Amino acid sequence: MKVEVERHHEAQQVEMEKSLVFRTLHEEAPGPKWQSLFDYHWPAYEAWYLAEGERERPAYLSCYNALRQHMPELLETYRALCELAGGGDLAARFLSLYQPPPYITGCSQAVLARHGSTLLARNYDYPPELCEGTVLHTRWNGRGVIAMTDCLWGVLDGMNDRGLAVSLAFGGRKAVGEGFGAPIILRYLLEFCDSVPEAAEVLARVPTHMAYNITLTDAAGRYVTAMIGPDRRASIRRVPVATNHQKKIEWYAHALASETLIRERQLSILVDDPATTEGRLLEAFAAPPLFRRDYGRGLGTIYTAAYWPATGRVSYRWPGEILDLTFDRFPERELRVRYGPR
């Protein structure tokens, strides 16, 4: 009997172990490298995009008009990517990220502002099998951008060479409405904004389809967290910490599962403590309660990202592995990360 129990436990351990290949990709203008990325990921994205039925997704003209109204500067890049994707109707609708299917993440993010240096650090908590794992270095619109991508050109977190760094977290509310997925909004910020005040103006006007917490900082040491949603005006405050709720808990089951209050308190204590160094903050992101191993429920930490906007340095971190990058030193490589209960 004991042997059977041990075998069952070992089988559960194997079942829980997952892996993800992270790739760094450098291509200044949309071209064959991005096209290969699209070809590789499109079957999975197509299935996700149609999971609720094609009628639930907006028509191409609605997608195009929404981009033209709210983020017109992105249209040239959008057209180029649609052409590389084959010019099909469905791919073009997907790439607009207008009214995509709703999805939920965990995530913790914080800005540590110290004299002469500002750091934006975050943990991304999500099912590894659903993460793209691509770090993309581009120069599509006159600015160098390094970003962890989502939906092939959207941004989960990233930084541009003008010194603006951004990161998103799910806002912990069930509200869904008319608007864009946050990753395309973050792409817009990095492509066309140089500072926190400029980015805050964009976040106040561009509609989002779900609730998100967007934390930003820049080379001048300014920072804000924008709490955005489809059913209320954006709340933009000089707050350096965000997890997965907006001001108060509204979705209690998600709050309990994600431990959003515990993580927020931990981060607040750290950034409010004058003795907290950058090293201490990053060590905290690598340990509980910020680092989570709940991969079975899709709430485990996939990676830690750190951005120093004043120097243009980027660092992606996993247990036992660090990938340091800059705009001038960005080697293309692959890194396989394994996830499990230990």
Side-chain angles (χ1 to χ4, degrees), residues 23-308:
R23 297 176 177 87
T24 55
L25 189 65
H26 184 189
E27 187 174 53
E28 300 229 334
K33 291 183 181 180
W34 186 89
Q35 188 176 42
S36 295
L37 192 68
F38 175 86
D39 292 340
Y40 179 80
H41 288 291
W42 175 236
Y45 274 127
E46 181 181 23
W48 170 73
Y49 192 67
L50 297 176
E52 298 176 321
E54 187 174 350
R55 290 185 178 183
E56 293 299 313
R57 306 278 68 83
Y60 168 73
L61 193 58
S62 296
C63 298
Y64 183 88
N65 286 339
L67 274 173
R68 184 174 62 178
Q69 177 182 355
H70 298 288
M71 298 181 281
E73 300 92 335
L74 269 184
L75 282 176
E76 183 177 350
T77 302
Y78 171 68
R79 293 191 196 102
L81 295 179
C82 287
E83 184 175 345
L84 288 171
D89 172 80
L90 191 63
R93 292 154 65 188
F94 162 77
L95 288 170
S96 74
L97 269 71
Y98 182 64
Q99 300 292 105
Y103 53 96
I104 298 169
T105 64
C107 310
S108 310
Q109 53 204 32
V111 173
L112 186 67
R114 295 290 183 260
H115 180 70
S117 179
T118 304
L119 164 67
L120 170 62
R122 69 99 102 254
N123 275 0
Y124 185 65
D125 304 341
Y126 200 58
E129 65 272 21
L130 300 181
C131 183
E132 192 173 306
T134 304
V135 182
L136 196 58
H137 180 191
T138 58
R139 185 173 291 276
W140 289 343
N141 294 284
R143 289 169 178 80
V145 173
I146 296 175
M148 186 70 75
T149 62
D150 185 55
C151 296
L152 297 168
W153 71 309
V155 170
L156 297 173
D157 47 77
M159 180 172 67
N160 65 24
D161 62 4
R162 308 298 175 88
L164 178 67
V166 300
S167 175
L168 70 84
F170 173 58
R173 300 176 56 238
K174 294 182 179 181
V176 178
E178 293 185 6
F180 294 92
I184 193 67
I185 301 175
L186 266 63
R187 169 62 66 182
Y188 185 49
L189 298 180
L190 293 180
E191 295 292 332
F192 298 104
C193 296
D194 295 345
S195 66
V196 164
E198 290 179 24
E201 290 182 9
V202 172
L203 291 169
R205 66 171 177 81
V206 176
T208 174
H209 79 129
M210 289 184 68
Y212 297 98
N213 298 330
I214 314 297
T215 300
L216 314 93
T217 189
D218 62 22
R222 294 168 290 210
Y223 61 84
V224 298
T225 291
M227 297 181 177
I228 62 177
D231 57 344
R232 59 180 64 165
R233 293 181 61 182
S235 172
I236 302 175
R237 300 182 298 161
R238 194 171 182 270
V239 174
V241 167
T243 52
N244 301 122
H245 60 281
Q246 296 185 330
K247 297 183 180 178
K248 64 179 183 179
I249 300 299
E250 297 185 47
W251 187 356
Y252 287 93
H254 182 271
L256 287 171
S258 66
E259 300 179 323
T260 180
L261 288 175
I262 296 172
R263 291 182 288 114
E264 181 191 48
R265 176 172 173 76
Q266 174 81 349
L267 284 174
S268 296
I269 291 171
L270 283 166
V271 299
D272 289 342
D273 184 354
T276 298
T277 62
E278 293 178 348
R280 181 184 173 194
L281 180 66
L282 291 173
E283 287 175 2
F285 271 102
L290 299 179
F291 191 96
R292 312 188 72 230
R293 296 188 180 274
D294 194 358
Y295 300 106
R297 291 192 292 178
L299 292 171
T301 299
I302 299 181
Y303 66 89
T304 300
Y307 297 93
W308 288 267

